Amino acid sequence: MKKQSITLLLFALTASFILFSCGNGKQKIYGGMEFDSISVNETAHLIANDTASPGCNLTIKYTYPVKAVQPGVADSINNAVVQICFGEDYEGMTATEAVENYKNNYINDYRTDLVSLYEEDKKNNPKGAEVSAWYSYYNNVEAQPLTDNPKVLVYYININSYTGGAHGIYNIDYLNFNPENGHLITLDDVFKEGYKSKLNELLLAKFMKDQGVATLEQLQEKAYLQDTDMYPSENFRLGKDDITFFYNVYEIAPYSSGTTEITLPYAELKDILKED
């Protein structure tokens, strides 16, 4: 199913089943874990104390585990999510440390990288409003646990930003964890050895059905799979009854085609699924 833009529908449908704190210090339990959350919404002007200069806006909505039944599980999960949200430089930091450092670095880097360029453009271009628009950046980071599968802790991570140019950049990642040990689940954990060939066939057949075409050539005419063959994405979501493979822009289609989801029921995958 093609998505032209990222919506909050998925989160809205699942949020009512997730119990976590909303900045009030209370922590609720889901899946044997306790969660807390951090929210940031901060705008900083490119030139400090100059409210006429363009600005950058950073929003962060980060829900993270603070306690699990087994020792070390919460830290293991948080460390994996932190690296996807903020980068490998933040490995080993707690959630609060990562968010605070990322916020400070984002604002500092914005000013360090752009002040001199902005001043030069402003001097050479009389259309000050247009120049300001070029330097009005934003970055939104969201990380939330989903609950459509009671046996797996699935994280939804949505990062979208604008750093100049014709359009912004957005990326969605799904991380699947074993809540008992904090292990990040990969496709090799889910499927039997040698699964890729059969899985590719199933994915391609389902995708062509979703797009209403009968051949690969017709699919390519719609701008899909022009530069790559079908492959099972490691960016997947383990649902209760099915598995959804997610492809961000540029992975199997151009930016104009948006993101792509292909969902396969477990019943159709039983021959290549591991028993556990």
Side-chain angles (χ1 to χ4, degrees), residues 124-144:
N124 297 331
N125 193 322
K127 297 180 179 180
E130 183 178 340
V131 172
S132 293
W134 297 340
Y135 291 91
S136 296
Y137 287 12
Y138 64 79
N139 190 20
N140 304 316
V141 180
E142 180 184 3
Q144 305 288 351

PDB file of all heavy atoms in Angstrom, residues 124-144:
ATOM      1  N   ASN A 124      23.714  39.742  -0.193  1.00  0.00           N
ATOM      2  CA  ASN A 124      23.673  39.697  -1.658  1.00  0.00           C
ATOM      3  C   ASN A 124      22.265  39.606  -2.240  1.00  0.00           C
ATOM      4  O   ASN A 124      22.084  39.745  -3.453  1.00  0.00           O
ATOM      5  CB  ASN A 124      24.488  38.512  -2.164  1.00  0.00           C
ATOM      6  CG  ASN A 124      25.957  38.632  -1.811  1.00  0.00           C
ATOM      7  OD1 ASN A 124      26.475  39.743  -1.681  1.00  0.00           O
ATOM      8  ND2 ASN A 124      26.628  37.495  -1.638  1.00  0.00           N
ATOM      9  N   ASN A 125      21.280  39.342  -1.398  1.00  0.00           N
ATOM     10  CA  ASN A 125      19.916  39.161  -1.880  1.00  0.00           C
ATOM     11  C   ASN A 125      18.991  40.126  -1.161  1.00  0.00           C
ATOM     12  O   ASN A 125      18.804  40.027   0.049  1.00  0.00           O
ATOM     13  CB  ASN A 125      19.461  37.714  -1.648  1.00  0.00           C
ATOM     14  CG  ASN A 125      18.189  37.386  -2.404  1.00  0.00           C
ATOM     15  OD1 ASN A 125      17.288  38.210  -2.520  1.00  0.00           O
ATOM     16  ND2 ASN A 125      18.119  36.163  -2.911  1.00  0.00           N
ATOM     17  N   PRO A 126      18.394  41.068  -1.875  1.00  0.00           N
ATOM     18  CA  PRO A 126      17.517  42.052  -1.220  1.00  0.00           C
ATOM     19  C   PRO A 126      16.217  41.452  -0.703  1.00  0.00           C
ATOM     20  O   PRO A 126      15.537  42.071   0.104  1.00  0.00           O
ATOM     21  CB  PRO A 126      17.243  43.064  -2.335  1.00  0.00           C
ATOM     22  CG  PRO A 126      17.388  42.273  -3.609  1.00  0.00           C
ATOM     23  CD  PRO A 126      18.485  41.282  -3.323  1.00  0.00           C
ATOM     24  N   LYS A 127      15.847  40.254  -1.170  1.00  0.00           N
ATOM     25  CA  LYS A 127      14.609  39.625  -0.728  1.00  0.00           C
ATOM     26  C   LYS A 127      14.855  38.890   0.587  1.00  0.00           C
ATOM     27  O   LYS A 127      15.036  37.684   0.626  1.00  0.00           O
ATOM     28  CB  LYS A 127      14.078  38.658  -1.783  1.00  0.00           C
ATOM     29  CG  LYS A 127      13.706  39.353  -3.097  1.00  0.00           C
ATOM     30  CD  LYS A 127      13.180  38.341  -4.107  1.00  0.00           C
ATOM     31  CE  LYS A 127      12.793  39.014  -5.412  1.00  0.00           C
ATOM     32  NZ  LYS A 127      12.277  38.042  -6.412  1.00  0.00           N
ATOM     33  N   GLY A 128      14.877  39.666   1.632  1.00  0.00           N
ATOM     34  CA  GLY A 128      15.221  39.096   2.923  1.00  0.00           C
ATOM     35  C   GLY A 128      14.307  37.989   3.373  1.00  0.00           C
ATOM     36  O   GLY A 128      14.739  36.997   3.960  1.00  0.00           O
ATOM     37  N   ALA A 129      13.002  38.125   3.093  1.00  0.00           N
ATOM     38  CA  ALA A 129      12.035  37.096   3.516  1.00  0.00           C
ATOM     39  C   ALA A 129      12.326  35.770   2.843  1.00  0.00           C
ATOM     40  O   ALA A 129      12.241  34.706   3.451  1.00  0.00           O
ATOM     41  CB  ALA A 129      10.615  37.554   3.207  1.00  0.00           C
ATOM     42  N   GLU A 130      12.691  35.821   1.559  1.00  0.00           N
ATOM     43  CA  GLU A 130      13.000  34.598   0.830  1.00  0.00           C
ATOM     44  C   GLU A 130      14.251  33.940   1.389  1.00  0.00           C
ATOM     45  O   GLU A 130      14.307  32.718   1.538  1.00  0.00           O
ATOM     46  CB  GLU A 130      13.178  34.915  -0.652  1.00  0.00           C
ATOM     47  CG  GLU A 130      13.437  33.686  -1.506  1.00  0.00           C
ATOM     48  CD  GLU A 130      13.551  34.038  -2.980  1.00  0.00           C
ATOM     49  OE1 GLU A 130      13.085  35.110  -3.383  1.00  0.00           O
ATOM     50  OE2 GLU A 130      14.120  33.199  -3.718  1.00  0.00           O
ATOM     51  N   VAL A 131      15.247  34.750   1.691  1.00  0.00           N
ATOM     52  CA  VAL A 131      16.479  34.216   2.274  1.00  0.00           C
ATOM     53  C   VAL A 131      16.185  33.534   3.602  1.00  0.00           C
ATOM     54  O   VAL A 131      16.681  32.445   3.888  1.00  0.00           O
ATOM     55  CB  VAL A 131      17.520  35.338   2.460  1.00  0.00           C
ATOM     56  CG1 VAL A 131      18.720  34.828   3.257  1.00  0.00           C
ATOM     57  CG2 VAL A 131      17.979  35.865   1.110  1.00  0.00           C
ATOM     58  N   SER A 132      15.360  34.169   4.415  1.00  0.00           N
ATOM     59  CA  SER A 132      15.027  33.581   5.718  1.00  0.00           C
ATOM     60  C   SER A 132      14.352  32.224   5.563  1.00  0.00           C
ATOM     61  O   SER A 132      14.601  31.300   6.339  1.00  0.00           O
ATOM     62  CB  SER A 132      14.112  34.530   6.497  1.00  0.00           C
ATOM     63  OG  SER A 132      14.800  35.715   6.844  1.00  0.00           O
ATOM     64  N   ALA A 133      13.511  32.092   4.551  1.00  0.00           N
ATOM     65  CA  ALA A 133      12.816  30.824   4.327  1.00  0.00           C
ATOM     66  C   ALA A 133      13.801  29.714   4.018  1.00  0.00           C
ATOM     67  O   ALA A 133      13.596  28.560   4.417  1.00  0.00           O
ATOM     68  CB  ALA A 133      11.807  30.975   3.188  1.00  0.00           C
ATOM     69  N   TRP A 134      14.886  30.036   3.316  1.00  0.00           N
ATOM     70  CA  TRP A 134      15.885  29.023   2.988  1.00  0.00           C
ATOM     71  C   TRP A 134      16.540  28.454   4.239  1.00  0.00           C
ATOM     72  O   TRP A 134      16.993  27.315   4.253  1.00  0.00           O
ATOM     73  CB  TRP A 134      16.972  29.626   2.097  1.00  0.00           C
ATOM     74  CG  TRP A 134      16.498  30.120   0.765  1.00  0.00           C
ATOM     75  CD1 TRP A 134      15.347  29.773   0.115  1.00  0.00           C
ATOM     76  CD2 TRP A 134      17.169  31.060  -0.086  1.00  0.00           C
ATOM     77  NE1 TRP A 134      15.252  30.436  -1.085  1.00  0.00           N
ATOM     78  CE2 TRP A 134      16.354  31.227  -1.241  1.00  0.00           C
ATOM     79  CE3 TRP A 134      18.359  31.767   0.000  1.00  0.00           C
ATOM     80  CZ2 TRP A 134      16.701  32.080  -2.286  1.00  0.00           C
ATOM     81  CZ3 TRP A 134      18.719  32.619  -1.040  1.00  0.00           C
ATOM     82  CH2 TRP A 134      17.893  32.773  -2.165  1.00  0.00           C
ATOM     83  N   TYR A 135      16.600  29.251   5.286  1.00  0.00           N
ATOM     84  CA  TYR A 135      17.321  28.853   6.486  1.00  0.00           C
ATOM     85  C   TYR A 135      16.392  28.490   7.653  1.00  0.00           C
ATOM     86  O   TYR A 135      16.855  28.335   8.782  1.00  0.00           O
ATOM     87  CB  TYR A 135      18.261  29.981   6.919  1.00  0.00           C
ATOM     88  CG  TYR A 135      19.408  30.193   5.958  1.00  0.00           C
ATOM     89  CD1 TYR A 135      19.300  31.106   4.903  1.00  0.00           C
ATOM     90  CD2 TYR A 135      20.596  29.474   6.088  1.00  0.00           C
ATOM     91  CE1 TYR A 135      20.348  31.299   4.011  1.00  0.00           C
ATOM     92  CE2 TYR A 135      21.648  29.655   5.209  1.00  0.00           C
ATOM     93  CZ  TYR A 135      21.519  30.570   4.162  1.00  0.00           C
ATOM     94  OH  TYR A 135      22.561  30.758   3.272  1.00  0.00           O
ATOM     95  N   SER A 136      15.113  28.345   7.370  1.00  0.00           N
ATOM     96  CA  SER A 136      14.164  27.945   8.409  1.00  0.00           C
ATOM     97  C   SER A 136      14.078  26.421   8.437  1.00  0.00           C
ATOM     98  O   SER A 136      13.354  25.816   7.648  1.00  0.00           O
ATOM     99  CB  SER A 136      12.787  28.573   8.132  1.00  0.00           C
ATOM    100  OG  SER A 136      12.862  29.974   8.201  1.00  0.00           O
ATOM    101  N   TYR A 137      14.821  25.814   9.331  1.00  0.00           N
ATOM    102  CA  TYR A 137      14.937  24.356   9.412  1.00  0.00           C
ATOM    103  C   TYR A 137      14.008  23.789  10.479  1.00  0.00           C
ATOM    104  O   TYR A 137      13.558  24.502  11.388  1.00  0.00           O
ATOM    105  CB  TYR A 137      16.376  23.961   9.768  1.00  0.00           C
ATOM    106  CG  TYR A 137      17.397  24.128   8.676  1.00  0.00           C
ATOM    107  CD1 TYR A 137      17.115  24.842   7.509  1.00  0.00           C
ATOM    108  CD2 TYR A 137      18.664  23.567   8.801  1.00  0.00           C
ATOM    109  CE1 TYR A 137      18.058  24.991   6.515  1.00  0.00           C
ATOM    110  CE2 TYR A 137      19.621  23.708   7.797  1.00  0.00           C
ATOM    111  CZ  TYR A 137      19.311  24.425   6.662  1.00  0.00           C
ATOM    112  OH  TYR A 137      20.244  24.570   5.670  1.00  0.00           O
ATOM    113  N   TYR A 138      13.729  22.502  10.371  1.00  0.00           N
ATOM    114  CA  TYR A 138      13.025  21.817  11.447  1.00  0.00           C
ATOM    115  C   TYR A 138      13.480  20.366  11.497  1.00  0.00           C
ATOM    116  O   TYR A 138      13.978  19.808  10.516  1.00  0.00           O
ATOM    117  CB  TYR A 138      11.499  21.885  11.280  1.00  0.00           C
ATOM    118  CG  TYR A 138      10.935  21.182  10.063  1.00  0.00           C
ATOM    119  CD1 TYR A 138      10.770  19.790  10.050  1.00  0.00           C
ATOM    120  CD2 TYR A 138      10.543  21.889   8.941  1.00  0.00           C
ATOM    121  CE1 TYR A 138      10.249  19.127   8.951  1.00  0.00           C
ATOM    122  CE2 TYR A 138      10.013  21.245   7.834  1.00  0.00           C
ATOM    123  CZ  TYR A 138       9.868  19.869   7.843  1.00  0.00           C
ATOM    124  OH  TYR A 138       9.362  19.220   6.745  1.00  0.00           O
ATOM    125  N   ASN A 139      13.270  19.745  12.646  1.00  0.00           N
ATOM    126  CA  ASN A 139      13.587  18.329  12.832  1.00  0.00           C
ATOM    127  C   ASN A 139      12.609  17.753  13.849  1.00  0.00           C
ATOM    128  O   ASN A 139      12.484  18.273  14.958  1.00  0.00           O
ATOM    129  CB  ASN A 139      15.030  18.160  13.329  1.00  0.00           C
ATOM    130  CG  ASN A 139      15.483  16.713  13.308  1.00  0.00           C
ATOM    131  OD1 ASN A 139      14.903  15.887  12.621  1.00  0.00           O
ATOM    132  ND2 ASN A 139      16.521  16.405  14.060  1.00  0.00           N
ATOM    133  N   ASN A 140      11.882  16.719  13.440  1.00  0.00           N
ATOM    134  CA  ASN A 140      10.910  16.069  14.316  1.00  0.00           C
ATOM    135  C   ASN A 140      11.312  14.610  14.535  1.00  0.00           C
ATOM    136  O   ASN A 140      11.531  13.874  13.575  1.00  0.00           O
ATOM    137  CB  ASN A 140       9.509  16.121  13.697  1.00  0.00           C
ATOM    138  CG  ASN A 140       9.070  17.540  13.367  1.00  0.00           C
ATOM    139  OD1 ASN A 140       9.263  18.451  14.167  1.00  0.00           O
ATOM    140  ND2 ASN A 140       8.480  17.734  12.201  1.00  0.00           N
ATOM    141  N   VAL A 141      11.388  14.217  15.787  1.00  0.00           N
ATOM    142  CA  VAL A 141      11.765  12.849  16.143  1.00  0.00           C
ATOM    143  C   VAL A 141      10.689  12.258  17.043  1.00  0.00           C
ATOM    144  O   VAL A 141      10.341  12.837  18.073  1.00  0.00           O
ATOM    145  CB  VAL A 141      13.124  12.807  16.876  1.00  0.00           C
ATOM    146  CG1 VAL A 141      13.488  11.368  17.240  1.00  0.00           C
ATOM    147  CG2 VAL A 141      14.222  13.454  16.040  1.00  0.00           C
ATOM    148  N   GLU A 142      10.155  11.116  16.641  1.00  0.00           N
ATOM    149  CA  GLU A 142       9.132  10.443  17.432  1.00  0.00           C
ATOM    150  C   GLU A 142       9.480   8.970  17.579  1.00  0.00           C
ATOM    151  O   GLU A 142       9.802   8.301  16.596  1.00  0.00           O
ATOM    152  CB  GLU A 142       7.762  10.579  16.766  1.00  0.00           C
ATOM    153  CG  GLU A 142       6.644   9.889  17.533  1.00  0.00           C
ATOM    154  CD  GLU A 142       5.307   9.960  16.816  1.00  0.00           C
ATOM    155  OE1 GLU A 142       5.267  10.491  15.693  1.00  0.00           O
ATOM    156  OE2 GLU A 142       4.308   9.466  17.386  1.00  0.00           O
ATOM    157  N   ALA A 143       9.426   8.468  18.792  1.00  0.00           N
ATOM    158  CA  ALA A 143       9.658   7.048  19.064  1.00  0.00           C
ATOM    159  C   ALA A 143       8.611   6.569  20.058  1.00  0.00           C
ATOM    160  O   ALA A 143       8.548   7.065  21.188  1.00  0.00           O
ATOM    161  CB  ALA A 143      11.061   6.823  19.612  1.00  0.00           C
ATOM    162  N   GLN A 144       7.784   5.618  19.618  1.00  0.00           N
ATOM    163  CA  GLN A 144       6.691   5.137  20.443  1.00  0.00           C
ATOM    164  C   GLN A 144       6.571   3.622  20.328  1.00  0.00           C
ATOM    165  O   GLN A 144       6.715   3.065  19.232  1.00  0.00           O
ATOM    166  CB  GLN A 144       5.355   5.762  20.003  1.00  0.00           C
ATOM    167  CG  GLN A 144       5.331   7.274  19.968  1.00  0.00           C
ATOM    168  CD  GLN A 144       5.317   7.904  21.346  1.00  0.00           C
ATOM    169  OE1 GLN A 144       5.155   7.208  22.348  1.00  0.00           O
ATOM    170  NE2 GLN A 144       5.470   9.217  21.407  1.00  0.00           N
TER     171      GLN A 144
END
